[in-house]
Amino acid sequence: MTYAGERETTEGRVFTVTGGDWDTITNNIDPLSNEKIVVNMGPQHPSTHGVLRLVLELEGETVTEVRPVIGYLHTGIEKNLEYRNWTQGTTFVTRADYLAPLFNEAGYCFAVEKLLGITDQITERANTIRVLFMELNRISSHLVWIATTGMELGAISMMLYGFREREYILDIFEETTGLRMNHAYFRPGGVAQDIPDSAIKKIRDFLVYLPKKLKEYEDMLSGQIIWQERTQGVAVLDVTGCLALGITGPVLRSAGLAWDLRKTMPYAGYEDYEFDVPTATTADVWGRYQVRMAEMRESLKIVEQALDRLKPGPIFVADKKIAWPAQLAVGIDGMGNSLEHVAKIMGQSMESLIHHFKLVTEGFRVPPGQVYIGIEHPRGELGVHAVSDGGTHPYRVHMRDPSFVNLQAIPAMAEGALLADVIAGGASLDPVMGGCDR
Amino acid sequence: MTTPENSTGGVPVSADPVGADIDAPAQTPSSPRKGMFGITGSGDVSGFGGLVRRHPEVVGSPKPYGSFFDEVTDALEEAYPGFADAIEKVVVDRGELTLHVKAEKIAEIAQIMRDDEGLRFELCSSVSGVDYLNSDARRLHVVYHLTSMTYRRRVRVEVAVPVDGTVPTVTSVYPTADWQERETYDMFGVVFTGHPNLTRILMPDDWEGHPQRKDYPLGGVAVEYKGAEIPPPDQRRVYQ
Amino acid sequence: MGIEEKLPAGILLTSVEKLSNWARKSSFWGATFGLACCAIEMMAAGGPHYDLGRWGMEVFRASPRQADLMIVAGRVSQKMAPVVRQIYDQMPEPRSVISMGVCASSGGMFNNYAIVQGVDHIVPVDIYLPGCPPRPEMLIDAILKMREKVMATPLGPNGRKMLEARKAAGQMPIVAPGAMPSSYRVDKVRRAEWTQAVKDGREEQLRIENWMKLQPHLREGGK
């Protein structure tokens, strides 16, 4: 009676286990130490950060081979973009990596603006708002990271704390953009709406509130022997490995290389902000944890500088052929175009009417060409390769998502380690399957 | 507007579709060369239906290229003896350098780009494809974005192959291209010879067709909304 | 479910039915089926701010064999569809499905080759929850409606017979369980209003009228 299908391979006997009583299986097999079992982890599993499937070959508790299988969340975002105009693309792109939606939008908008050639015309206020929100989003993404990683390694209360702090940031986002997630706030040419003063007050309160909490969480985790045992020396990937596999972001910085696109190839005015790039030398999960906690603090610094830098001004590029023709205000029946603006379009200015019409029906045209933009996403380098053929729809937009590239490192980190280290390693890479599969 | 004898509780009943023509043919690549509104055979007498767009041609840029581009091309020429053969076109556009290269030579060129002292493009940021339908026989382009951390600059290398064409893999030089080439194969059908594991990565393993190609339909369904039927995005009227 | 189902139709069965349904609705155990952005909102609903623990749902069971509510949260791609079905099949009866978000309900904004246009193509859905993503409060509202539906489920074949008998005798509640909007359910007067409107077949009209009453520029009956 067989309970586990077995076959001889060049590497010995391989057993496929799909269920059944463990004792019966082991009793039917030779009690030698070099049997392999194939375990399928996912795509539905609490620890796979979304729908990641890992096919593991185990010898006892040691992993001999791990093959990640992705594609369970492939949405065809890139193809959908080809059937929408350039401004509508923001709403699609924002749902790729759903934990850092503003970064997706930022990458896409920078690419479109480079194609349009208006990168220098983006107003200072728009750039400052973009930096401000990107850093807030970085903090919220890292909070989700520490929450889910903590939960997966067993520190379940970290999940509650992380999501609790994140609610403050989502509140700020909702105040400004109207949505908690997937905002479609950054548009090619600027940002959709201005920040209300109530949101600025919330941000300032948050800046005072979070550092105390971060210290609390660090005290809770860093000194804890179980956390240290599970993260130190686990899932090591040194600089050569990282560069060969194209890993960027906190994983690369935990290996010691201070490569941060905000410093090395700055965009959106990042060269004017004062902040450090935290690195670690241990290249393990512990190092990545240190790097991400430190990055949250650096982001708080940038947020503060951005708030101080915020001066009144336009939030959209001045070119009327690109700027979204809305001036929103809250009226008696909710938010919509302000009445003066409607009166101006309908009654006074023929030009505004024509611009409004053309922009809403067609969208603006982007001169033909292709660009590649790289920004520093919480997980690494987010690249956007945008190709235009001169029309109102993107011809091809490819997002080089950091999670997609970083996941290639799982075999390198996990093979030879214990099963629990696969979880820790995978969690430390911070993959978000929405971005990975797009 | 509800009528007193509406007995469905205010829920719209399905009726005949109103509005767009759901039998319209799927829209092929965006920005069609002819026509303005993306539909044909309607009663449109505006004359915009006869509009013909010139297809944008990509022309090589003349030397000197400016900024760091000359450095890069000169270093590559020095280090790679087959430079004149392999490079088809050099385009400088919007502050970026694009080298159009013959498909067979990409692995050698990648090796030199990574190892040569003057080039040092250690990181392959992205490998992706573009389908230039209606351009010429070599319609599938594979685009490699290389980043030099030492010199803090980027370069793009582009190869073009026809639909059944093959491209040598660069995974021996840049292992990061592994999954990215798999994605390009999955989405476009470009076969990378020498790849350790060229299988579908995003679509299910038994999927037929290569979705990101321009002649692959978007594949949506018509949506019923408040009594009307809205066709899927690729069959709607679109203002180009 | 056991001996309870074999009870003869009558007052004993209805009491046991009520008890069993109350126990089921008060202790939904969700199966972790978070796919995309909606999963994050689901996790936020389980977080301290919008606490699902108030309804006994803070624990999400990883194993579908121990779960009775599958919240399909996020877009279901073609590759994921057989997995959804398999997880659903592994759940023991009685089970329910909430499709959270527009992508799960109807394909959402992704009307294309890669996304299944509505998870009801794969599994039977009890409550559809639109939103992109729906706020945690909307998810809680959907769960509360689910609880109402569960409370009205018949128990066993005898229970179903009793339900048929009630239907035949015209004794069904006017508003289907789970169909009343929460803003009407909270207030006795409004509940009666809604029930009357459903009887007359004009609940959409009632909603519109009440909304118009709240608009400041229409309060005087419109100008």
Side-chain angles (χ1 to χ4, degrees), chain C residues 1-8 12-13 16-17 20 155-156 158-159:
Chain C
M1 246 196 299
I3 196 167
E4 321 86 67
E5 293 193 349
K6 302 207 176 52
L7 285 170
L12 186 57
L13 180 62
V16 172
E17 206 177 76
S20 138
L155 179 63
N158 292 337

Side-chain angles (χ1 to χ4, degrees), chain A residues 342-362:
Chain A
V342 173
K344 176 163 167 275
I345 295 182
M346 300 298 286
Q348 298 162 13
S349 163
M350 185 61 177
E351 211 186 354
S352 310
L353 181 62
I354 295 176
H355 282 140
H356 190 111
F357 177 75
K358 299 252 338 192
L359 281 170
V360 170
T361 52
E362 279 181 5

Side-chain angles (χ1 to χ4, degrees), chain A residues 43-44 46 50-51 69-77 79-80 84 91-92 95-96 98-99 148 159-160 163-164 166-167 170 174 180-182 332-333 434, chain C residues 31-37 40-41 43-44 46-50 62 64 75 77 79-80 83 87 109-115 132-133 135-136 215-217:
Chain A
Q44 190 258 3
V51 285
V69 184
I70 60 171
Y72 289 96
L73 203 54
H74 178 63
T75 322
I77 289 182
K79 189 154 180 94
N80 252 118
R84 295 276 186 269
T91 53
F92 280 90
R95 288 165 169 84
Y98 38 83
L99 283 178
T148 48
M159 177 83 170
L160 296 173
F163 273 90
R164 178 184 64 184
R166 188 169 171 264
E167 287 296 328
L170 292 185
E174 193 179 6
R180 289 155 52 93
M181 282 173 65
N182 301 338
I332 41 179
D333 54 352
Chain C
T32 55
F33 212 79
L35 297 166
C37 348
I40 309 292
E41 289 294 59
M43 287 196 252
H49 203 99
Y50 307 97
R75 45 203 193 235
S77 73
K79 204 167 174 179
M80 193 64 189
V83 180
I87 302 288
M109 71 183 334
F110 301 112
N111 193 353
N112 59 23
Y113 64 91
I115 296 291
C132 195
R135 288 185 63 104
Q215 302 313 305
H217 58 299

Side-chain angles (χ1 to χ4, degrees), chain B residues 201-212:
Chain B
I201 188 169
L202 292 178
M203 302 307 297
D205 295 323
D206 50 358
W207 196 263
E208 278 170 25
H210 297 278
Q212 201 77 44

Side-chain angles (χ1 to χ4, degrees), chain A residues 81 168 229 250 277 316 327 332 382 409:
Chain A
L81 281 172
Y168 290 103
E229 291 289 316
V277 175
F316 227 96
Q327 262 149 54
I332 41 179
L382 173 71

